[in-house]
Amino acid sequence: MPSSSTTPSVKDPIPLFFFTFNCNQQTLISEVFKSKLLSILPDQLSSLYVFGFQEFCSVLDGLFASEANAKLINFNQILHEALQEKYQQPTGFSTITQTFIGAIGMIIITPYAAKFKNVRTATTSCGYAYSSLKGGVGARVSYYPEGAFDSPDFVELSFATVHLNAFEGEYYYLERNKNLYNIMRSLNFGDGYGLIKPKNHVFILGDMNYRTSQDYTPTSSESQELLSLLDVSITDAAYSKRVENLVDKYDELTTSMQKGDVLQNFAEGRITFPPTYKFHLNTAIYNTKRSPSWCDRIVYLSSYEEVGDDNLDQHLLKLPSSNNSNHERVRFYLPEVREYNSLDSLLMSDHRPVYLEMTVPFNPPKSIISPLSGCLQILPAGLRAGISLDGFSQLEELERSSNVVSGPTTIYLKPTTFDGITQNLISPIANTVIGYSLWLGGTRNGGIFSLSTIVILWILFRFF
């Protein structure tokens, strides 16, 4: 840690590992999945391992909680086996939360269970008729770095795994933006806040389904550019730069964040990996029925406005990139993306998993929720959506975003009474109706039950 003569005493940064995977309703082959996961786990222990899954079971199983829960328990066991094999942790690992809605699930595991307390979970649906075909799950935990729960030195971390609506086109793009805000608001943790809460680190991961075209045709020039990313004959540096250029040019989410249309004051690591969707199963070949897209993403709240007593854009721009002490100092006040990549060798789904290794400072980013109105307030400072701290040589590039207007908005971010009605009444009814409709019309037992019911009703009507 830097000396006290150059920086005030601060807590160590928090190392985190994230993994998101749309399983496409495929059954995990345990040994294959574990071997692939082992290849990307960081060498050093992280404080938390956050795993988000979408379509981890069939639509039908997802509408019946007992079936979905059994599958997620199996996922949890596989994850524990992989982590223990990687780190040989004497005290093992603990699952601090395992939650799901429909086929969307999240598992958070730690090697330091004594450092986490006050675990809260939340779920929300935004599928057809508020069903759980789409939606999100959330978790909020308190982190005590010294493991002393009576200590005032703690910080909260909030996580959401989401699955947004699919398809190309402006209508679906706008629906994704709307549903993302709905999820952030309606994840009710029982503490008066949705996903966004003051003095919290906030992370969102999952199949966000943002596309690269709103009017897709396989033969278009943009499609051919994206499909050409399968060419692995070019050098790594050239390939990474080519990917970055295409992300800036075509990716809906990147453009939307840069314009300030969604996820204001959030940031993402640099995307240098090929589109993660849509592949033919068990191959590395894109399915041209859909535009190749970076659907699977991990973003984090990045409104770190201050470094010590200095304003971010006033101070950091003065730090010479060759000054190691300054680099060490900044490490305690800003997030550092160590690796952001896709797991291209896992071929079992039409998606590729995406993972993120990063550290965040102990002190949380500035709040983006107004303490008076409960609405989103866009801060003038923070990391631009296009800037990620995956190398301190980039610090000199930090600047205020000139294309996003800061200030208060009318986007309400706290759970509402209507959210309670939809999630506690309408959503369960929708899930029951859709679930039993699928069971009756799509399964053998359901078909037998339907036929038997029809015969009994006919007999009653005919003879009584």
Side-chain angles (χ1 to χ4, degrees):
M1 183 181 293
S3 66
S4 58
S5 61
T6 59
T7 186
S9 175
V10 293
K11 301 294 182 183
D12 286 340
I14 308 169
L16 302 168
F17 179 81
F18 298 88
F19 178 92
T20 180
F21 183 31
N22 184 320
C23 304
N24 191 36
Q25 306 179 37
Q26 303 299 307
T27 300
L28 282 187
I29 302 174
S30 176
E31 291 306 315
V32 173
F33 180 78
K34 278 198 300 183
S35 67
K36 302 301 183 183
L37 181 59
L38 284 167
S39 70
I40 62 170
L41 287 173
D43 291 333
Q44 299 298 318
L45 269 176
S46 296
S47 293
L48 286 176
Y49 295 82
V50 183
F51 297 92
F53 297 100
Q54 308 83 46
E55 297 187 27
F56 69 85
C57 62
S58 69
V59 172
L60 181 59
D61 286 345
L63 294 168
F64 295 95
S66 60
E67 298 292 333
N69 189 49
K71 289 186 177 292
L72 202 59
I73 289 173
N74 181 55
F75 276 50
N76 184 50
Q77 181 178 347
I78 294 172
L79 295 174
H80 273 264
E81 291 173 359
L83 290 169
Q84 190 60 31
E85 183 175 338
K86 172 71 176 182
Y87 299 106
Q88 300 296 311
Q89 183 73 354
T91 56
F93 291 83
S94 299
T95 297
I96 60 175
T97 182
Q98 173 184 301
T99 185
F100 69 94
I101 187 167
I104 308 162
M106 180 163 60
I107 299 171
I108 302 180
I109 300 174
T110 180
Y112 310 121
K115 295 185 178 183
F116 294 93
K117 190 181 179 183
N118 302 326
V119 179
R120 298 172 179 266
T121 60
T123 62
T124 186
S125 302
C126 60
Y128 297 114
Y130 292 101
S131 70
S132 59
L133 297 176
K134 294 291 186 288
V137 297
R140 177 170 291 145
V141 299
S142 298
Y143 171 63
Y144 293 78
E146 308 302 329
F149 293 153
D150 58 348
S151 170
D153 292 328
F154 73 93
V155 67
E156 287 187 312
L157 300 96
S158 298
F159 308 92
T161 293
V162 303
H163 191 189
L164 304 182
N165 64 295
F167 305 122
E168 292 86 359
E170 183 178 8
Y171 169 80
Y172 298 105
Y173 162 73
L174 294 175
E175 283 294 298
R176 283 188 280 275
N177 288 355
K178 182 179 75 173
N179 288 338
L180 196 48
Y181 282 123
N182 288 343
I183 290 171
M184 293 166 68
R185 185 195 66 245
S186 59
L187 282 172
N188 191 344
F189 293 95
D191 55 7
Y193 289 93
L195 180 64
I196 306 299
K197 182 182 179 181
K199 300 180 180 179
N200 262 239
H201 294 283
V202 182
F203 309 88
I204 304 175
L205 61 156
D207 179 5
M208 299 189 190
N209 255 322
Y210 283 94
R211 304 304 172 96
T212 51
S213 173
Q214 293 192 357
D215 185 21
Y216 172 65
T217 55
T219 57
S220 67
S221 59
E222 62 187 46
S223 300
Q224 294 305 307
E225 277 192 281
L226 293 165
L227 290 170
S228 71
L229 290 176
L230 288 177
D231 181 6
V232 295
S233 62
I234 54 180
T235 64
D236 289 343
Y239 185 81
S240 296
K241 186 62 178 177
R242 185 177 178 186
V243 171
E244 285 190 75
N245 290 338
L246 291 179
V247 169
D248 289 339
K249 188 175 182 180
Y250 295 124
D251 178 58
E252 284 182 337
L253 182 57
T254 298
T255 301
S256 186
M257 290 172 68
Q258 290 173 347
K259 290 166 55 181
D261 289 343
V262 74
L263 291 176
Q264 295 88 344
N265 288 118
F266 277 78
E268 181 180 23
R270 281 187 174 84
I271 296 177
T272 58
F273 48 87
T276 59
Y277 176 84
K278 174 179 176 76
F279 290 88
H280 288 286
L281 292 183
N282 300 311
T283 76
I285 302 171
Y286 284 117
N287 185 335
T288 55
K289 289 183 178 179
R290 297 293 178 199
S291 174
S293 299
W294 290 272
C295 290
D296 308 275
R297 312 291 277 270
I298 305 169
V299 299
Y300 53 93
L301 186 61
S302 63
S303 50
Y304 297 89
E305 188 177 19
E306 296 179 356
V307 175
D309 297 326
D310 300 301
N311 183 274
L312 176 66
D313 66 336
Q314 295 295 318
H315 182 73
L316 288 183
L317 292 177
K318 299 177 183 178
L319 293 178
S321 60
S322 61
N323 190 321
N324 291 329
S325 64
N326 280 333
H327 291 176
E328 182 70 6
R329 175 179 179 179
V330 168
R331 189 171 71 88
F332 286 85
Y333 291 98
L334 290 173
E336 178 189 2
V337 173
R338 294 178 174 176
E339 185 174 9
Y340 187 41
N341 210 339
S342 62
L343 181 53
D344 291 333
S345 61
L346 189 61
L347 309 180
M348 58 171 281
S349 171
D350 58 355
H351 287 254
R352 293 293 177 264
V354 169
Y355 63 95
L356 168 67
E357 180 192 358
M358 71 180 302
T359 63
V360 295
F362 178 79
N363 292 327
K366 292 180 72 69
S367 176
I368 61 169
I369 185 171
S370 169
L372 297 178
S373 67
C375 292
L376 169 69
Q377 54 182 7
I378 304 172
L379 301 181
L383 309 182
R384 290 190 294 115
I387 296 294
S388 63
L389 294 181
D390 50 6
F392 289 116
S393 61
Q394 282 82 40
L395 286 174
E396 295 173 347
E397 301 175 24
L398 288 172
E399 59 184 25
R400 291 184 185 273
S401 178
S402 60
N403 56 354
V404 177
V405 177
S406 61
T409 73
T410 58
I411 301 173
Y412 194 66
L413 291 179
K414 290 185 176 182
T416 65
T417 301
F418 181 71
D419 290 328
I421 294 173
T422 57
Q423 301 307 317
N424 296 316
L425 179 62
I426 300 176
S427 179
I429 293 174
N431 288 339
T432 300
V433 171
I434 295 173
Y436 277 103
S437 297
L438 291 173
W439 181 74
L440 291 170
T443 67
R444 182 173 181 272
N445 288 340
I448 293 173
F449 179 84
S450 298
L451 181 59
S452 301
T453 302
I454 292 172
V455 171
I456 292 171
L457 290 174
W458 181 83
I459 292 173
L460 291 174
F461 178 78
R462 180 70 177 80
F463 297 103
F464 295 95

